[in-house]
C-alpha cells in the first residue's frame, strides 16, 4: 500500500471463526469513519470490498491458520481518493500448501478466492519468511 | 444463526434465517436444514430478509441443503434476498442454480 491514505484503520482479530465478528466490526468502523471524514464509500463499493475481505479472512481462518487456534490475523485498511485497500497478514501455512480439513463439511477455499477476485480490481498474495500477506484493492466508483 | 420455521403443507415449509451466514454459522445452518429435509420437509423456502451477509461458506451450506432436498424428491428455494446476498450469488454465478424469489409466496408457488 503506498501514498498517504485519507483514512486508515489497523486491527487484529483471532484466527478463528469467531474472529470474523471482529472483522465485520472493523469494517463497520472503517466505513463509518469514511462518512465522518467526508470521504464516503458508496454502497456497491462497500459491498464488494467487504465481501472480498470476508472471503480472504475466512480463507486464512479455515486454511492457513486452521491448526493454529491462538494465531491472530493483522488487518490494515486504507482509503485513498480513488480506491480502498486491505492488507491481511498471518503466520499460518502458506497458501497452496494448506490442506482442506477433510472433516469440514463446507470446504470452499476455491470458491471463496474466486469470489474475492471477482469483487476486486486487484488481489495479491505473497509469502515472506513465515508471513502470509494478502493485498486487496478496489477502485471506487465515481 | 437464528432460524424460524413455519409449516406450509404436507412437506412444504418456510424457514426464516437471520444474521450472517458465513464461516461461523454455515456448518450448523447446513446441518439444521438437512435435518429438516430428513424429517420430511423436502419442499423448503428459505426467507433471507433478515440475513445481513452471506459468504462462500454460507453458499455452500445452502447448496448442500438444495442437493438434499432434491434427492428427497423436493426442492429448495430462497426468497427476499438482500443486496449483498444477491451480489454474492451473482459474482459466484450461483444465481442460476439458486435464483432468488422476490417474495415467499412466489417461492412457494408450485409446491402445492
Amino acid at each position: 500500500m503506498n501514498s498517504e491514505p485519507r483514512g486508515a484503520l489497523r486491527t487484529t482479530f483471532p484466527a478463528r471463526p469467531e474472529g470474523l465478528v471482529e472483522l465485520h466490526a472493523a469494517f463497520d468502523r472503517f466505513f463509518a469513519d469514511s462518512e465522518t471524514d467526508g470521504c464516503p464509500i458508496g454502497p456497491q463499493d462497500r459491498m464488494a470490498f467487504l465481501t472480498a475481505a470476508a472471503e480472504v479472512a475466512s480463507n486464512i481462518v479455515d486454511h492457513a491458520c486452521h491448526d493454529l487456534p491462538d494465531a491472530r490475523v493483522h488487518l490494515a485498511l486504507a482509503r485513498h481518493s480513488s480506491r480502498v485497500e486491505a492488507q491481511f497478514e498471518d503466520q499460518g501455512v502458506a497458501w497452496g500448501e494448506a490442506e482442506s480439513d477433510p472433516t469440514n463439511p463446507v470446504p470452499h477455499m476455491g470458491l471463496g478466492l474466486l469470489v474475492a477476485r471477482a469483487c476486486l480490481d486487484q488481489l495479491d498474495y505473497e509469502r515472506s519468511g513465515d508471513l502470509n500477506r494478502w493485498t486487496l484493492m478496489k477502485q471506487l466508483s465515481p | 444463526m437464528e432460524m424460524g420455521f413455519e409449516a406450509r403443507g404436507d412437506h412444504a415449509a418456510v424457514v426464516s434465517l437471520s444474521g450472517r451466514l458465513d464461516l461461523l454459522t454455515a456448518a450448523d445452518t447446513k446441518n439444521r436444514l438437512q435435518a429438516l429435509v430428513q424429517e420430511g420437509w423436502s419442499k423448503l423456502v428459505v426467507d433471507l430478509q433478515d440475513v445481513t451477509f452471506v459468504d462462500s461458506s454460507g453458499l455452500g451450506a445452502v447448496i448442500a441443503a438444495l442437493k438434499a432436498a432434491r434427492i428427497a424428491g423436493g426442492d429448495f428455494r430462497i426468497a427476499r434476498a438482500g443486496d449483498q446476498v444477491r451480489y454474492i450469488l451473482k459474482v459466484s454465478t450461483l444465481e442460476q442454480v439458486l435464483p432468488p424469489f422476490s417474495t415467499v409466496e412466489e417461492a412457494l408457488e408450485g409446491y402445492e
Side-chain angles (χ1 to χ4, degrees):
Chain A
M1 296 200 285
N2 46 33
S3 79
E4 197 65 29
R6 301 177 71 177
L9 183 150
R10 289 183 177 272
T11 188
T12 69
F13 58 91
R16 299 190 300 274
E18 295 78 10
L20 297 178
V21 176
E22 297 182 38
L23 172 84
H24 281 269
F27 270 80
D28 286 344
R29 289 198 304 275
F30 179 69
F31 292 146
D33 288 347
S34 294
E35 293 272 352
T36 304
D37 295 342
C39 308
I41 300 167
Q44 283 294 121
D45 291 334
R46 291 188 185 198
M47 200 158 55
F49 192 46
L50 174 59
T51 297
E55 293 294 348
V56 172
S58 292
N59 193 61
I60 294 169
V61 167
D62 206 32
H63 297 284
C65 297
H66 186 264
D67 296 324
L68 302 170
D70 296 327
R72 294 192 72 84
V73 182
H74 294 256
L75 169 64
L77 297 171
R79 197 242 194 262
H80 298 265
S81 57
S82 63
R83 69 185 190 280
V84 283
E85 295 175 343
Q87 192 170 81
F88 290 90
E89 292 182 342
D90 70 88
Q91 292 182 295
V93 178
W95 178 52
E97 295 179 15
E99 295 293 329
S100 293
D101 178 358
T103 67
N104 182 350
V106 285
H108 280 284
M109 177 179 173
L111 177 61
L113 290 179
L114 181 68
V115 167
R117 284 187 188 279
C119 295
L120 299 168
D121 294 284
Q122 183 178 330
L123 176 64
D124 294 323
Y125 168 81
E126 67 174 311
R127 176 80 174 178
S128 178
D130 63 352
L131 191 71
N132 294 313
R133 181 179 296 118
W134 290 92
T135 303
L136 293 67
M137 189 275 285
K138 175 84 179 77
Q139 293 284 355
L140 297 175
S141 304
Chain B
M1 158 156 284
E2 292 185 24
M3 182 182 289
F5 175 86
E6 180 186 356
R8 293 287 202 101
D10 285 341
H11 300 285
V14 177
V15 174
S16 303
L17 301 179
S18 63
R20 293 191 198 111
L21 183 54
D22 63 3
L23 182 67
L24 182 59
T25 58
D28 179 65
T29 301
K30 169 182 165 281
N31 291 339
R32 293 166 76 182
L33 290 172
Q34 288 183 325
L36 287 174
V37 173
Q38 289 167 6
E39 290 169 13
W41 304 104
S42 58
K43 300 174 183 176
L44 291 175
V45 172
V46 177
D47 186 349
L48 298 175
Q49 186 187 37
D50 294 329
V51 172
T52 57
F53 186 87
V54 175
D55 72 358
S56 59
S57 299
L59 291 179
V62 167
I63 294 298
L66 167 69
K67 290 180 180 176
R70 289 186 175 170
I71 288 172
D75 204 357
F76 183 99
R77 299 169 183 173
I78 59 173
R80 302 206 288 179
D83 288 344
Q84 192 275 339
V85 179
R86 289 176 177 268
Y87 176 75
I88 193 171
L89 282 169
K90 181 179 178 182
V91 297
S92 65
T93 71
L94 285 175
E95 64 180 348
Q96 302 165 38
V97 175
L98 206 57
F101 288 82
S102 297
T103 68
V104 168
E105 298 311 315
E106 283 181 19
L108 282 169
E109 284 178 11
Y111 271 175
E112 288 80 28

